[in-house]
Amino acid sequence: MLRRVPLVFRLRGAPVASLDAEALRVAKNRRRLTFQSSQAGELFVGAKGVASLDAFGHTLPTAPDGSLWIAYTRDTDARNVSVSTLDQNQIASGSLRDAIVYIGAPDAFMTTPMGARTQTAIHAEALEGMLLGDVLRRPQAADTAELAFLALCGLGMIFVLARFGVGWAGLFGVVAIAGAAAVSWQLFA
């Protein structure tokens, strides 16, 4: 399942912008992209790596590997234009003026949280999110919080198992999982 797209990667030791990052640079008519790095690496503050991309007016948070979490929306036909529509002149003159166009195979699908999408639609949605500043943000301390929650739940289950038995420990586990799911959904929405 595709949740992130790379914005920068290394080629022979040098950072290179991905297709989506380069499309953002060209759309904003800039000479270069500016990435911020994280010098963290400590247990409680996150990993070393790329922290964000200066998106010319707002900052886009990235994962330490330089990837961007896509905030998917419902698929819309306004993002898609078929080649046959262009070939048959069925599209209004000038409707693609100042548009950013990705060209790709119509049968190259990937699975996303919102269902199957073409690769070009995924790139278009990632760029749309970057232009609008609407991307998902994963806090740097999320990994640490998840580990702490897992440790507390493990200790809690051990206590409940020793004190009340298997049935109550199982119920404790189900309630902990449901609570974690509810909290994560509230933080997402």
Side-chain angles (χ1 to χ4, degrees):
M1 181 162 308
L2 184 68
R3 299 177 191 274
R4 302 184 299 174
V5 293
L7 292 182
V8 64
F9 57 93
R10 290 199 178 277
L11 180 65
R12 297 186 192 118
V16 177
S18 71
L19 173 67
D20 298 312
E22 191 64 15
L24 175 68
R25 184 192 66 79
V26 171
K28 293 291 191 169
N29 196 25
R30 303 286 195 215
R31 292 178 139 276
R32 69 178 76 78
L33 294 167
T34 304
F35 288 92
Q36 301 296 324
S37 66
S38 170
Q39 298 301 322
E42 302 296 322
L43 177 62
F44 295 106
V45 291
K48 289 182 181 179
V50 180
S52 63
L53 166 65
D54 176 16
F56 319 113
H58 48 272
T59 301
L60 299 175
T62 63
D65 65 356
S67 61
L68 176 86
W69 289 81
I70 303 172
Y72 286 101
T73 60
R74 296 199 187 281
D75 203 9
T76 174
D77 289 336
R79 286 190 191 117
N80 303 314
V81 177
S82 74
V83 174
S84 64
T85 304
L86 291 173
D87 283 345
Q88 298 170 2
N89 291 327
Q90 294 177 346
I91 190 166
S93 177
S95 63
L96 294 179
R97 183 181 317 272
D98 298 326
I100 301 167
V101 178
Y102 285 100
I103 299 172
D107 59 350
F109 284 92
M110 298 190 81
T111 304
T112 71
M114 299 293 283
R117 302 266 174 102
T118 63
Q119 291 176 357
T120 51
I122 292 168
H123 284 292
E125 192 151 6
L127 181 60
E128 180 180 320
M130 287 190 290
L131 289 168
L132 297 173
D134 187 22
V135 297
L136 295 180
R137 291 163 169 74
R138 181 170 167 85
Q140 287 187 349
D143 290 336
T144 304
E146 290 167 355
L147 286 173
F149 174 76
L150 185 60
L152 288 174
C153 284
L155 290 173
M157 284 189 72
I158 290 170
F159 174 77
V160 172
L161 178 64
R163 184 93 175 174
F164 302 106
V166 174
W168 287 106
L171 180 62
F172 178 85
V174 168
V175 168
I177 291 169
V183 168
S184 69
W185 183 257
Q186 286 299 321
L187 292 173
F188 172 75

